[in-house]
């Protein structure tokens, strides 16, 4: 049974890595859609979100099946329950990438983001992408130090979001309310994506150290 | 053991009802803070969010303890895992109420919401409050029909959010980008609060019927 249980955990971990890779690819493509007004890219992200959700359903089934068959306790039980939390965060990251893509699609053929905001969004997207890369590696091989570094990346995202608001709230902002609303909501989508990556880091720290 | 297990479920359910009551009270008070620029109300919501999070921690411990001691399978296992999902949605509803309160506090002593938007926010808050009331009752006594009704409430919230955007995007919107950004983000907080209530409804339907 111990061997079976290990095989179950490996399978759950493999599914989580698949999800993490998908939500990383989704935000990359959504950012391309946003910054280059690329409708095909936007549609591809929107169409593929259901695949991410389907992997999460598989994880839920596998976890329930593992608990039922193996009756894990203590740290073993903690690992499978943590997998559920990580999956839920990844699912939400996929939704947020989809929101970015939908905003790009809604404004197409115009760009949703004016030139003045593009460097800031590019910066947010780059940091978010690095975070997604890190969590993919950490899920495959958890370590508490790597997970704790995600907090610093998140600070960088928060600084960029503040810079974004500063531009939009300047007296000489020329684009009016609609573009400011899009900018604020898009900023929030990237910031929330990063928040969920931090959550995943915290779950992994708990997994490795048993401490919150 | 069967009796112990039932007692565990009753305790988990009691904790979830406590959380639901708290996040309902939080959004009511946050709305008061928002619509009357009441800093004390805003601070009370912000200070109390940690209590909501603490109840969720209790639920997680209780669920882990129940799984470890009772080794539930099939629908019994499903019930305790569903409790975790519901708790996570409630925790997030508490965060969103806190976001509303923080926006009110940030703009104090000015109101964050101009007179033109107040009726719409009042409407969103009323529907959201009814949804929170329903999920509190449904958690205590799940039934699939009641849970399905939450979708209709959510449609009403979405209509109100659209009405909100229509006002802010009109050519004669007099308040500029900052107030529009606040309005859009606040609208999103209420809408997300309602979305999580719908999620809880879906979890409860799954719990009662075994179907997604």
């Amino acid at each position: 049974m111990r061997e079976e249980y290990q095989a179950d955990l490996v399978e759950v971990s493999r599914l989580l890595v698949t999800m993490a890779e998908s939500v990383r690819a989704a935000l990359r493509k959504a950012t391309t859609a946003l910054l280059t007004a690329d409708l095909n890219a936007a549609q591809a992200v929107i169409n593929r979100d259901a695949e991410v959700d389907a992997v999460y359903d598989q994880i839920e089934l596998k976890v329930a099946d593992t608990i039922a068959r193996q009756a894990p306790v203590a740290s073993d039980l903690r690992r499978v329950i943590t997998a559920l939390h990580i999956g839920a965060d990844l699912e939400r990251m996929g939704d947020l990438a989809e929101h970015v893509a939908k905003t790009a699609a809604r404004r197409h053929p115009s760009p949703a983001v004016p030139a003045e905001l593009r460097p800031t969004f590019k910066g947010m997207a780059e940091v978010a992408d690095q975070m997604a890369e890190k969590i993919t590696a950490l899920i495959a091989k958890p370590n508490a130090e790597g997970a704790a570094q995600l907090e610093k990346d998140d600070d960088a995202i928060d600084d960029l979001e503040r810079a974004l608001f500063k531009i939009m709230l300047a007296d000489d902002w020329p684009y009016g309310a609609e573009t400011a609303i899009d900018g604020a909501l898009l900023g929030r989508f990237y910031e929330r994506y990063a928040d969920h990556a931090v959550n995943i880091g915290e779950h992994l720290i708990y997994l490795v150290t048993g401490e919150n």
Side-chain angles (χ1 to χ4, degrees), chain A:
Chain A
M1 186 188 98
R2 189 70 203 165
E3 220 165 87
E4 257 181 47
Y5 175 69
Q6 287 302 331
D8 286 342
L9 283 186
V10 168
E11 172 64 6
V12 168
S13 170
R14 191 190 66 75
L15 290 167
L16 287 173
V17 169
T18 301
M19 268 189 102
E21 286 169 346
S22 298
V23 305
R24 184 184 176 202
L27 192 67
R28 289 173 76 105
K29 206 180 258 290
T31 301
T32 299
L34 183 71
L35 297 181
T36 66
D38 180 339
L39 188 60
N40 286 336
Q43 283 299 349
V45 175
I46 295 164
N47 294 339
R48 268 182 227 156
D49 189 54
E51 291 173 26
V52 176
D53 296 349
V55 180
Y56 184 52
D57 290 344
Q58 282 184 57
I59 291 170
E60 288 207 291
L61 287 174
K62 185 76 200 168
V63 165
D65 176 61
T66 303
I67 293 175
R69 282 189 301 105
Q70 313 288 352
V73 296
S75 69
D76 289 338
L77 178 58
R78 193 198 301 157
R79 289 176 75 177
V80 286
I81 289 180
T82 297
L84 283 184
H85 290 303
I86 292 173
D89 280 309
L90 288 168
E91 189 185 30
R92 191 69 202 137
M93 288 167 80
D95 290 344
L96 290 160
E98 192 189 6
H99 288 338
V100 171
K102 280 185 171 169
T103 307
R106 195 161 50 236
R107 298 295 170 224
H108 184 269
S110 301
V113 169
E116 286 89 331
L117 299 183
R118 244 167 267 167
T120 315
F121 277 111
K122 205 159 173 276
M124 290 183 95
E126 276 168 10
V127 181
D129 183 59
Q130 288 159 15
M131 294 174 86
E133 184 180 17
K134 284 179 193 172
I135 57 170
T136 308
L138 285 167
I139 291 166
K141 202 173 175 184
N143 82 75
E145 245 172 74
Q149 279 184 359
L150 291 163
E151 299 268 8
K152 282 189 190 157
D153 295 324
D154 192 48
D155 290 342
I157 292 268
D158 290 345
D159 288 345
L160 285 162
E161 198 190 18
R162 266 188 290 275
L164 185 73
F165 275 74
K166 210 176 157 195
I167 299 169
M168 297 189 296
L169 298 178
D171 289 335
D172 59 353
W173 171 253
Y175 298 102
E178 181 160 18
T179 305
I181 288 174
D182 271 356
L185 291 175
L186 285 165
R188 193 164 164 83
F189 298 151
Y190 283 97
E191 185 241 314
R192 291 292 305 148
Y193 185 98
D195 280 348
H196 285 287
V198 172
N199 285 353
I200 290 172
E202 284 168 3
H203 290 310
L204 292 170
I205 290 171
Y206 180 69
L207 191 65
V208 175
T209 68
E211 279 164 29
N212 273 320

